[in-house]
């Protein structure tokens, strides 16, 4: 019988982390469920909304070169199990029951598939397929393992941070990142927080706080944080091995605000953390529709220093965006 579970129809929110009128490279860690995000507390990890089909389609598409996106380094079985459990726990709640995990099987009524996950071995077994409104998108997909399967069921990218409680050393133990914005997961795997963030422009304070931040992410939280930028492409991400963002003249009609909503949750015993990343793309024309938002974005762009502009690839066109935002008729 045809599965009639309706797809989520909520519009994705427009997050505007620049609203305070400043670009900064700060931790910005908000306690999930406690601190307000744009006026209201958010407790979800996964955001299921009407963009779900686009995310599934895009995740299936990158599978032709999955090795560019899915990498692991020294992921101990105990940590893998804890991370899988942490990724699975919020699924039913955040999906409104369309995705369920009963401790053995993960079932997704939208994708019309279910599978048994062996958390000890990290494997996916006995994949079953039936009808579902998005079942056609995953008909040919063979998940590689449990983490890969979980990632296919959510819009978010997923990563696992490991931390050795004895030495306090941390490293990225697994990245399942389909939508990296200008960075290569293969450059980050096995690396520490400090090494991962070394290329970030103006990250001096962030790097000095690396030890404190890895302690926070592995022992406190859960947290939510946001990152943002303007980009010439409206794709969910830009893997440097696949996409070369061109230096170009500013064109408001082909510029997007890209915001990442990221969550962090600690794993038992301070042994690591799970990290999720969900990109939100909004055309700049739409962002600029609101005059107060427009000026705050202009202020935030003006506040960017040379090193921020260089890192964000905006050196040649930041002033043009600001002039356009402050012009008389920046609307459509
Ligand atoms: C306490 C937690 C974290 C904080 C405060 C933090 C902070 C930041 C900041 C401020 C940036 C620059 C954002 C911008 O483009 O404006 C950044 C970039 C980045 N972060 Fe994090 N981050 C955290 C956790 C993580 C984790 C767990 C990963 C694991 C993969 C990660 C991976 C990255 C990557 C890959 C970049 C881009 C680096 C590049 O361009 O080469 N971050 N982060």
């Amino acid at each position: 019988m045809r599965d009639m579970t309706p797809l989520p129809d909520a519009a994705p929110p427009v997050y505007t982390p620049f609203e305070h009128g400043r670009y900064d490279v700060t931790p910005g860690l908000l306690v999930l469920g406690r601190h307000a995000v744009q006026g209201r507390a958010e407790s979800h990890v996964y955001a299921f909304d009407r963009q779900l089909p686009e995310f599934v389609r895009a995740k299936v598409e990158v599978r032709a070169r999955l090795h560019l996106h899915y990498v692991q380094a020294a992921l101990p079985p105990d940590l893998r199990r804890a991370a899988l459990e942490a990724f699975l726990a919020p699924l039913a709640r955040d999906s409104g029951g369309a995705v369920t995990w009963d401790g053995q099987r993960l079932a997704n009524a939208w994708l019309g598939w279910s599978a048994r996950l062996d958390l000890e071995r990290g494997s996916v077994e006995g994949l079953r397929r039936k009808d579902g409104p998005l079942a056609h998108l995953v008909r040919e997909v063979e998940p590689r393992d449990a983490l890969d399967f979980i990632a296919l069921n959510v819009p978010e990218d997923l990563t696992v941070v490991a931390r050795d409680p004895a030495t306090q050393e941390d490293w990225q133990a697994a990245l399942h990142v389909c939508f990296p914005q200008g960075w290569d997961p293969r450059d980050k795997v096995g690396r520490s927080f400090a090494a991962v963030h070394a290329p970030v422009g103006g990250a001096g304070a962030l790097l000095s706080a690396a030890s404190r931040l890895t302690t926070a992410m592995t022992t406190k939280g859960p947290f939510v944080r946001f990152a943002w930028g303007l980009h010439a492409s409206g794709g969910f991400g830009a893997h440097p091995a696949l996409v070369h963002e061109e230096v170009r003249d500013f064109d408001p009609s082909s510029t997007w605000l890209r915001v990442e909503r990221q969550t962090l949750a600690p794993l038992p015993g301070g042994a690591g953390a799970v990290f999720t990343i969900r990109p939100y793309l909004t055309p700049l024309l739409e962002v600029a529709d609101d005059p107060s938002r427009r000026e705050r974005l202009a202020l935030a762009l003006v506040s960017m220093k040379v090193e921020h502009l260089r890192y964000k690839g905006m050196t040649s066109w930041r002033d043009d965006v600001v002039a356009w935002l402050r012009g008389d008729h920046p609307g459509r």
Side-chain angles (χ1 to χ4, degrees):
M1 205 179 74
R2 198 166 173 77
D3 195 318
M4 296 306 287
T5 304
L7 285 169
D9 64 357
V14 178
Y15 290 111
T16 50
F18 53 79
E19 286 274 9
H20 58 303
R22 227 177 35 251
Y23 173 81
D24 38 31
V25 186
T26 51
L29 296 176
L30 304 170
V31 178
L32 195 64
R34 180 135 32 100
H35 292 149
V37 174
Q38 293 186 195
R40 60 192 183 92
E42 294 188 341
S43 53
H44 64 284
V45 171
Y46 305 114
F48 291 102
D49 56 41
R50 67 176 180 221
Q51 279 196 307
L52 179 65
E54 283 172 64
F55 275 99
V56 176
R57 206 171 284 118
K59 284 202 174 188
V60 170
E61 212 173 285
V62 307
R63 299 183 70 74
R65 293 196 179 101
L66 192 59
H67 61 285
L68 302 181
H69 300 272
Y70 183 24
V71 281
Q72 295 189 2
L75 175 63
D78 285 357
L79 185 69
R80 182 176 61 201
R81 184 194 174 100
L84 292 172
E85 283 174 342
F87 284 131
L88 288 160
L91 267 176
R93 179 198 65 188
D94 293 349
S95 68
V99 188
T100 55
W101 164 248
D102 65 5
Q104 302 230 315
R105 287 195 86 77
L106 191 170
N108 185 325
W110 293 317
L111 299 184
W113 66 4
S114 71
R116 200 173 75 72
L117 303 187
D118 184 328
L119 301 187
E120 294 303 329
R121 298 175 57 210
S123 59
V124 57
E125 329 237 323
L127 182 68
R128 289 190 211 139
R129 299 172 197 267
K130 54 177 192 154
D131 271 351
L134 301 178
H136 58 288
L137 297 178
V138 293
R139 190 138 290 141
E140 310 292 326
V141 173
E142 291 297 334
R144 303 279 166 90
D145 58 24
L147 180 55
D148 185 38
F149 187 56
I150 296 169
L152 281 159
N153 284 277
V154 299
E156 282 70 17
D157 280 330
L158 309 176
T159 87
V160 182
V161 178
R163 195 179 206 214
D164 184 332
T167 64
Q168 311 288 303
E169 263 186 273
D170 70 284
W171 69 98
Q172 305 304 319
L175 294 98
H176 195 294
V177 180
C178 295
F179 315 119
Q181 184 58 47
W183 55 274
D184 190 330
R186 295 170 303 174
D187 291 339
K188 308 296 184 186
V189 69
R191 297 245 156 94
S192 66
F193 179 93
V196 164
H197 291 89
V200 174
L206 191 73
L207 301 183
S208 318
S211 168
R212 198 166 46 77
L213 286 169
T214 40
T215 301
M217 77 173 87
T218 53
T219 60
K220 301 199 177 97
F223 297 110
V224 60
R225 68 178 302 278
F226 294 87
W228 65 276
L230 294 182
H231 299 275
S233 147
F236 288 136
H239 193 300
L242 303 173
V243 179
H244 298 285
E245 281 206 339
E246 289 164 28
V247 178
R248 48 114 211 199
D249 292 336
F250 168 60
D251 173 2
S253 63
S254 59
T255 302
W256 279 262
L257 168 69
R258 182 179 187 280
V259 176
E260 284 186 0
R261 179 181 185 271
Q262 307 172 344
T263 72
L264 287 148
L267 297 173
V274 286
F275 183 56
T276 67
I277 314 165
R278 155 84 196 248
Y280 290 84
L281 275 299
T282 312
L284 180 61
L285 291 174
E286 201 178 309
V287 179
D289 265 351
D290 176 319
S292 121
R293 201 157 69 180
R294 200 158 71 212
E295 177 51 21
R296 282 158 198 272
L297 177 57
L299 281 170
L301 293 171
V302 167
S303 78
M304 290 175 82
K305 301 199 172 112
V306 175
E307 58 273 25
H308 302 144
L309 292 170
R310 198 180 310 123
Y311 171 63
K312 291 286 195 179
M314 287 192 75
T315 307
S316 66
W317 55 285
R318 183 269 310 266
D319 290 351
D320 296 337
V321 190
V322 173
W324 177 80
L325 287 167
R326 289 181 167 164
D328 284 341
H329 302 289
R332 284 160 219 271

